Amino acid sequence: MIRNGRGAAGGAEQPGPGGRRAVRVWCDGCYDMVHYGHSNQLRQARAMGDYLIVGVHTDEEIAKHKGPPVFTQEERYKMVQAIKWVDEVVPAAPYVTTLETLDKYNCDFCVHGNDITLTVDGRDTYEEVKQAGRYRECKRTQGVSTTDLVGRMLLVTKAHHSSQEMSSEYREYADSFGKCPGGRNPWTGVSQFLQTSQKIIQFASGKEPQPGETVIYVAGAFDLFHIGHVDFLEKVHRLADRPYIIAGLHFDQEVNRYKGKNYPIMNLHERTLSVLACRYVSEVVIGAPYAVTAELLSHFKVDLVCHGKTEIIPDRDGSDPYQEPKRRGIFRQIDSGSNLTTDLIVQRIITNRLEYEARNQKKEAKELAFLEAARQHAAQPLGERDGDF
């Protein structure tokens, strides 16, 4: 059990408004390749109560019911722990949510998105808590899922980006991967996520730096926001007693300039929400300049500028983008202790792409079978229904 408390520092569970008993909420899932869709689910769940507990499944359980996860269970535990709306993480949570689990952690109800989660034999994993009236539903974030991100990465291969004509084998693979029954291929178009100012407001803290806080600026792509980013930001957060971390996110075109291929995998709006959900980040600059200029440092009253141990790519004119903070003596390189990068994540996917393709197809087939069974059940006269749904 991993307790977070509110914000980056630890803290005890607080009573609800008016001194009433705190409403304890349970969420669970794989949380593989944690993205802003996961964060939005947890944000909505936390708003339904006072204290949010999140159960995360093991690698073994996920492999049994869905296929191989992209990240290890230890990586997934830490990613969920870094989401600012999470108060407590329960490792090795059971794949099927039961009343016993809710009672064990003294939770009033569980919350899940309005999508389908099935066991290996096609059963609804929330059936028991639904029947007991201890289930709440939140809106699923449209335009993103782990399956979607895996699909985007599977097309970020040498053949996909080569100017030479791709092989017929790869073209057939790229054209067929992930196609839904209607024939639409969700992997070859742009993300269907539509950003709104309201969504940014929901994710943002809305707090300005206070007197005595140390303003720390970091910048980068923060693509596929992952455990390497979290480790870096956690280390940066420890540099001051009262840190206020501002993350500058580069425009997609800028990221593509220094990363190449067809990075970033996630567009600027998606990356913004992913970073805003992190408990170590106070503010995000959307479309930050690549060079950390004197104007930027003065505008945000920056005390310290940090960068990881990854290579610093020169600006378009060949200059060092960090020359100004270095000149002022406020630049520090931070070793996160993690060697995970966006490139390595993509490589994991490409190396195991057949397994991931099979996982995605298996998931789609189970959901279609479940929906068809539910449709047939609903069409039966009441007296003939078997009660399974």
Side-chain angles (χ1 to χ4, degrees):
M1 193 183 305
I2 307 166
R3 285 191 173 88
N4 270 334
R6 303 306 296 157
E13 176 183 350
Q14 300 297 314
R20 63 164 172 76
R21 184 186 70 84
V23 175
R24 292 166 65 89
V25 181
W26 173 271
C27 285
D28 55 28
C30 304
Y31 299 103
D32 196 21
M33 287 184 57
V34 171
H35 50 70
Y36 61 91
H38 293 125
S39 300
N40 195 35
Q41 179 224 359
L42 297 175
R43 179 192 64 80
Q44 293 178 77
R46 181 61 173 74
M48 295 182 191
D50 305 301
Y51 191 83
L52 177 60
I53 303 175
V54 181
V56 183
H57 310 317
T58 63
D59 297 343
E60 183 180 3
E61 281 284 273
I62 297 172
K64 173 184 174 183
H65 293 281
K66 294 183 70 173
V70 179
F71 289 98
T72 69
Q73 59 198 41
E74 295 301 326
E75 290 170 331
R76 292 183 289 107
Y77 298 155
K78 191 162 189 177
M79 281 300 298
V80 174
Q81 186 183 0
I83 296 173
K84 63 185 178 183
W85 296 288
V86 176
D87 295 293
E88 188 175 322
V89 173
V90 175
Y95 197 80
V96 176
T97 309
T98 63
L99 294 174
E100 180 183 0
T101 298
L102 296 189
D103 291 341
K104 179 179 179 180
Y105 295 99
N106 196 27
C107 290
D108 296 84
F109 52 85
C110 76
V111 176
H112 186 66
N114 54 352
D115 52 338
I116 304 167
T117 304
L118 306 173
T119 63
V120 67
D121 56 358
R123 303 287 296 185
D124 184 350
T125 59
Y126 295 97
E127 182 177 0
E128 182 177 319
V129 292
K130 284 179 178 178
Q131 291 179 350
R134 293 174 67 181
Y135 175 86
R136 304 286 187 275
E137 205 164 78
C138 62
K139 292 182 179 179
R140 183 180 180 278
T141 305
Q142 296 299 316
V144 68
S145 67
T146 300
T147 307
D148 171 52
L149 293 176
V150 167
R152 294 190 208 179
M153 283 185 283
L154 281 170
L155 296 184
V156 183
T157 63
K158 184 176 180 180
H160 178 62
H161 297 295
S162 173
S163 58
Q164 301 173 358
E165 187 164 344
M166 65 177 72
S167 68
S168 58
E169 178 187 2
Y170 183 81
R171 184 180 297 280
E172 181 181 352
Y173 166 77
D175 287 345
S176 64
F177 176 77
K179 276 190 177 176
C180 65
R184 179 180 64 83
N185 189 327
W187 316 136
T188 54
V190 297
S191 168
Q192 295 304 300
F193 171 69
L194 298 176
Q195 179 67 286
T196 64
S197 58
Q198 182 62 32
K199 186 62 63 185
I200 294 177
I201 291 169
Q202 289 170 342
F203 272 56
S205 67
K207 296 178 181 178
E208 295 185 352
Q210 300 300 307
E213 290 185 328
T214 302
V215 178
I216 307 175
Y217 183 76
V218 299
F222 292 99
D223 194 17
L224 293 174
F225 193 74
H226 55 70
I227 195 68
H229 297 133
V230 168
D231 286 338
F232 167 70
L233 290 168
E234 184 180 18
K235 288 282 183 69
V236 171
H237 196 274
R238 291 176 182 172
L239 294 176
D241 292 332
R242 296 178 58 199
Y244 186 96
I245 298 177
I246 301 175
L249 270 62
H250 300 143
F251 282 115
D252 296 343
Q253 297 92 328
E254 192 67 60
V255 176
N256 184 256
R257 178 186 71 82
Y258 62 80
K259 289 284 289 183
K261 299 184 179 178
N262 83 346
Y263 288 111
I265 305 297
M266 301 178 86
N267 67 41
L268 176 59
H269 294 150
E270 295 175 308
R271 293 184 283 120
T272 296
L273 293 186
S274 296
V275 175
L276 279 174
C278 179
R279 66 177 59 249
Y280 304 116
V281 174
S282 302
E283 181 64 283
V284 166
V285 180
I286 304 172
Y290 188 66
V292 182
T293 63
E295 290 77 13
L296 184 148
L297 296 174
S298 298
H299 179 80
F300 292 108
K301 298 179 173 59
V302 175
D303 299 301
L304 189 63
V305 175
C306 295
H307 183 77
K309 290 294 185 178
T310 55
E311 179 186 4
I312 297 175
I313 306 297
D315 205 346
R316 295 172 187 270
D317 61 2
S319 63
D320 181 351
Y322 291 98
Q323 62 183 3
E324 180 60 25
K326 286 178 179 179
R327 186 188 67 79
R328 297 188 184 194
I330 61 170
F331 177 80
R332 288 184 62 176
Q333 278 199 287
I334 304 299
D335 186 354
S336 69
S338 172
N339 65 354
L340 189 63
T341 64
T342 304
D343 286 328
L344 287 177
I345 295 171
V346 172
Q347 196 55 49
R348 285 188 193 184
I349 298 292
I350 293 172
T351 301
N352 299 288
R353 70 182 191 180
L354 293 179
E355 287 185 82
Y356 291 119
E357 180 181 356
R359 178 182 79 166
N360 293 340
Q361 292 176 344
K362 174 183 173 184
K363 179 175 182 286
E364 185 178 86
K366 280 202 306 181
E367 290 178 355
L368 288 173
F370 182 87
L371 289 171
E372 177 60 22
R375 187 191 64 77
Q376 292 180 2
H377 179 79
Q380 290 177 336
L382 287 174
E384 298 178 14
R385 296 183 184 181
D386 57 17
D388 285 344
F389 279 84

